[in-house]
Amino acid sequence: MRHFRLVLEYDGAAFEGWQIQPDGVRTVQGALVEAAQKLAGGGEMIVRGSGRTDSGVHAAGQVASVSLETDLDAEALLKALNGNLPRDVVVLEAEACDADFDPRRQAKTKSYLYAVWNGPLRSPLRAARYVHIPQPLDISAMRIAAKELEGEHDFASFQAAGSDVEHTVRTLHRITVSGETGGELFFEFEGSGFLRHMVRNLVGTLLEVGQGRREPRSMAALLEARDRGEAGPTAPAHGLTLAWVEYGDEAGGESDTSPGR
Amino acid sequence: MRHFRLVLEYDGAAFEGWQIQPDGVRTVQGALVEAAQKLAGGGEMIVRGSGRTDSGVHAAGQVASVSLETDLDAEALLKALNGNLPRDVVVLEAEACDADFDPRRQAKTKSYLYAVWNGPLRSPLRAARYVHIPQPLDISAMRIAAKELEGEHDFASFQAAGSDVEHTVRTLHRITVSGETGGELFFEFEGSGFLRHMVRNLVGTLLEVGQGRREPRSMAALLEARDRGEAGPTAPAHGLTLAWVEYGDEAGGESDTSPGR
C-alpha cells in the first residue's frame, strides 16, 4: 500500500459536509473515496481528513490522507484523482507520507476564515460566501472581545448543543478581525483544535458584540459559564472556510499545508 | 410620473442577460419591470438600462432609469424595489432624475472587470466568477498588447459576428492588467462605449498573447483588419462584471455611479 498526504480545496455549497455518509448523500470524503476507488482496483483503501467540516462549509486547504494499492507516484495520483473528482473539489497538493500519518491527530494548528458583508443592502455578488449583517458593526468592540477569547480556555460554552466531547479545553492562538464597518469583514481563527460549531458560535457571539447587544468585556465570564445557552447563535455555514492546517515535523513533510497562493 | 436613476448589482449566473424577453425567460430588466410594476399600480412604466449585459455577465454598478406613477421618494422606492426583487439583484442607489435622463445615450464612460484564475489546477472557490487558464500567462506581453488597443480605434475586429452596428469606432481610455502569473489576474477596461462581445473578444485575444500564441505587437494590424475572424475567441461570460458607469453633469446628479465601496 502507498500512503499520501493531500491538500484539498472545495466549495461546500453542494456538499453535506466532509464526513462520508450512506449512498445518495453527497459529501467531500465520499467524493474522494469514490475517486480513489477507481484507482485502487477494488482493493482496500482508506481516506481520512484533518477534521469534519459541516454542511455548507468551504475549504481552501483541508488536509487528508489516502492509502491504497497503486503504482502511481504522488504527481500522477494528483492528476488521476482530479480527473475523477467533481468540479467543486480539487486536490491542490499530493505527497507521499508515512503509513502512520494521521491528519486529525497530528494536526498542530488550524486556521478558519469567516466572511461578513456589513453593507446596509444585500450583495448578490457576495451572497454565496459572505454572511450579510446590515447593521453597522463596531469593530473595536469585537476586537476587545476577541482578545479575551485568545489563549487556552475551556470552550464548552461554544460547543454545539448535544455534543458529547468531554475535554473541551482548546487553545486559540489568534483571532484577527479585519476590514471595515459598512464593508467586507473577515474573522480569522488560528487554534490548536476546534470543537463542533465552535468557530460559528464564536462568530455569532462576536457579531452580537459588534451590534452592541453584548458587552465586549463579557467573554471571560461567558467562558467561565461553560453553558452553550449563554453564548450567541451559530453563524451560518456558508461564511466559513477552513483556510489551512499545519503539521509539526513528525508528520514527515512540509510543515505548512497552506496552498501558498 | 416620477423618474429615478438606479444603480444595480446582480449576479448574472441565473439571468439570461439584461434585456427583457418574452415570458418565462429570466432577465434582469424583466425582474426590475416586474418589481416596479407592483409599485406603479397598473399604470405606465418605463425601465431603461445603460446597456445590455449578456447572459451570465455580472454587474457591480449597472445604471438604469425607471419612470412610473408613484408617491414614493427615492429612498422609499429603493426599499420597495429591493423588497420585490429576487435575491440575485439589488438596487444599491436610487435618486430622482430628469424626465429626459437616458442611461444609455448619456453614459460617458463604462468600466468592465474580467477575472482570470491562472493556477495550474481548477479552483472550486473561484469557479463561479473566474475563468480558469492553466498555462502560465505572460503578463508583460499582455500589457504590451493592451497598450496598442488603448485609444480611439475602429474595433470591428472585436465585434460579435453578425452584429449590424455600422459605426464601430470606440475609445478605450485604459486597459489595466493586474495580478500575477499563476494567481488571480484582472483585466479592467474603461471606455466611451463597447460593441457587442467586445470586452470578451478583447480578453480572448489578450489571453492568446499571454499564452505566446499571438504576437504582443500585432494589435494595430488586427484593428486595421476590421475582421472578426482575425481576433481571438470570445472569453466566457462568467468572468465578466460591468463595474461602473459614469455620467457627465448633464445627467443631473452625481457624476460617478460607482457604488463607492
Side-chain angles (χ1 to χ4, degrees):
Chain A
M1 264 196 151
R2 289 190 178 180
H3 312 277
F4 302 92
R5 179 160 82 172
L6 311 178
V7 180
L8 302 166
E9 175 180 329
Y10 48 87
D11 180 335
F15 287 110
E16 302 284 326
W18 167 266
Q19 202 189 15
I20 196 163
Q21 290 186 42
D23 274 0
V25 181
R26 197 168 182 270
T27 70
V28 183
Q29 191 184 19
L32 193 55
V33 163
E34 207 175 304
Q37 254 161 359
K38 293 182 188 161
L39 310 178
E44 198 194 351
M45 194 209 47
I46 304 159
V47 171
R48 289 201 191 95
S50 78
R52 303 171 189 176
T53 50
D54 291 329
S55 181
V57 173
H58 318 287
Q62 166 73 293
V63 173
S65 67
V66 58
S67 301
L68 74 169
E69 290 292 348
T70 182
D71 294 331
L72 300 174
D73 64 9
E75 197 186 328
L77 180 95
L78 180 143
K79 282 184 188 164
L81 284 176
N82 284 335
N84 290 341
L85 283 166
R87 306 289 310 163
D88 46 357
V89 53
V90 71
V91 180
L92 297 175
E93 296 173 20
E95 57 176 11
C97 69
D98 297 341
D100 60 356
F101 170 59
D102 183 325
R104 187 174 66 82
R105 288 178 191 277
Q106 283 169 249
K108 216 173 99 187
T109 314
K110 281 189 184 185
S111 173
Y112 283 93
L113 194 74
Y114 199 95
V116 170
W117 169 238
N118 187 217
L121 302 168
R122 68 175 182 265
S123 172
L125 290 172
R126 295 179 182 85
R129 223 63 66 65
Y130 292 73
V131 167
H132 181 211
I133 306 286
Q135 304 86 349
L137 291 167
D138 182 338
I139 296 182
S140 307
M142 295 194 291
R143 283 187 179 139
I144 291 168
K147 235 348 151 209
E148 274 193 32
L149 293 162
E150 286 180 351
E152 188 183 69
H153 301 291
D154 185 334
F155 285 96
S157 292
F158 295 96
Q159 179 174 223
S163 196
D164 57 0
V165 172
E166 276 180 32
H167 181 68
T168 49
V169 173
R170 296 290 184 277
T171 301
L172 265 183
H173 301 306
R174 196 170 51 85
I175 306 179
T176 312
V177 187
S178 56
E180 46 181 332
T181 300
E184 295 177 351
L185 282 179
F186 300 96
F187 297 84
E188 202 181 334
F189 298 84
E190 202 180 306
S192 63
F194 293 87
L195 300 162
R196 178 132 205 264
H197 287 183
M198 179 170 148
V199 176
R200 291 162 60 191
N201 292 340
L202 287 166
V203 170
T205 305
L206 289 171
L207 289 173
E208 286 189 341
V209 171
Q211 291 168 80
R213 299 197 276 133
R214 191 183 280 271
E215 282 298 314
R217 287 187 180 77
S218 63
M219 296 298 113
L222 180 50
L223 288 163
E224 193 74 28
R226 302 191 73 255
D227 177 0
R228 174 68 190 94
E230 297 281 315
T234 309
H238 73 271
L240 185 60
T241 303
L242 171 58
W244 47 263
V245 188
E246 196 176 289
Y247 291 85
D249 289 338
E250 82 280 10
E254 293 171 17
S255 68
D256 183 350
T257 66
S258 157
R261 288 171 178 179
Chain B
M1 266 197 149
R2 289 189 177 181
H3 311 277
F4 302 92
R5 178 160 81 173
L6 310 178
V7 180
L8 301 166
E9 175 181 329
Y10 48 86
D11 180 335
F15 287 110
E16 302 284 327
W18 166 266
Q19 203 190 14
I20 197 162
Q21 290 186 41
D23 274 1
V25 181
R26 197 168 180 270
T27 70
V28 182
Q29 191 183 20
L32 193 57
V33 163
E34 207 176 307
Q37 253 161 358
K38 293 181 186 162
L39 310 178
E44 196 194 354
M45 195 207 47
I46 304 158
V47 171
R48 290 202 191 94
S50 79
R52 303 171 189 179
T53 49
D54 292 328
S55 182
V57 173
H58 318 288
Q62 166 73 293
V63 173
S65 68
V66 57
S67 301
L68 74 171
E69 290 293 347
T70 182
D71 293 331
L72 300 175
D73 65 9
E75 198 185 329
L77 179 94
L78 180 143
K79 283 184 187 164
L81 285 176
N82 283 336
N84 291 342
L85 283 167
R87 306 289 309 163
D88 47 357
V89 53
V90 71
V91 180
L92 296 175
E93 296 172 20
E95 58 176 11
C97 68
D98 296 341
D100 61 358
F101 170 60
D102 184 326
R104 188 175 65 81
R105 289 177 192 279
Q106 282 168 251
K108 215 174 101 188
T109 314
K110 282 189 181 185
S111 174
Y112 283 93
L113 194 73
Y114 198 94
V116 170
W117 169 240
N118 187 219
L121 301 167
R122 67 175 181 266
S123 172
L125 290 172
R126 296 179 181 85
R129 223 64 67 66
Y130 293 73
V131 167
H132 182 211
I133 306 286
Q135 305 85 347
L137 291 167
D138 182 340
I139 296 183
S140 307
M142 293 194 293
R143 284 187 178 138
I144 290 167
K147 234 348 148 207
E148 275 193 31
L149 292 162
E150 286 179 351
E152 187 183 71
H153 301 291
D154 185 334
F155 285 95
S157 293
F158 296 96
Q159 179 175 224
S163 196
D164 56 1
V165 173
E166 276 181 32
H167 181 68
T168 48
V169 173
R170 295 291 184 276
T171 302
L172 265 183
H173 301 306
R174 195 171 53 86
I175 307 179
T176 312
V177 187
S178 56
E180 46 182 330
T181 300
E184 294 178 350
L185 282 179
F186 300 96
F187 296 83
E188 202 183 333
F189 298 84
E190 202 180 306
S192 64
F194 293 87
L195 301 162
R196 177 133 205 265
H197 287 183
M198 179 171 148
V199 176
R200 291 162 61 192
N201 291 341
L202 286 166
V203 170
T205 306
L206 289 171
L207 289 174
E208 287 190 339
V209 171
Q211 291 168 81
R213 297 197 277 131
R214 190 183 281 271
E215 283 298 314
R217 289 189 178 77
S218 63
M219 295 300 113
L222 180 49
L223 288 162
E224 191 75 27
R226 303 190 73 255
D227 177 2
R228 174 68 190 94
E230 297 282 314
T234 308
H238 73 273
L240 184 61
T241 302
L242 172 58
W244 48 262
V245 189
E246 197 177 289
Y247 292 85
D249 289 338
E250 81 280 8
E254 294 171 15
S255 67
D256 184 350
T257 66
S258 158
R261 291 178 174 172

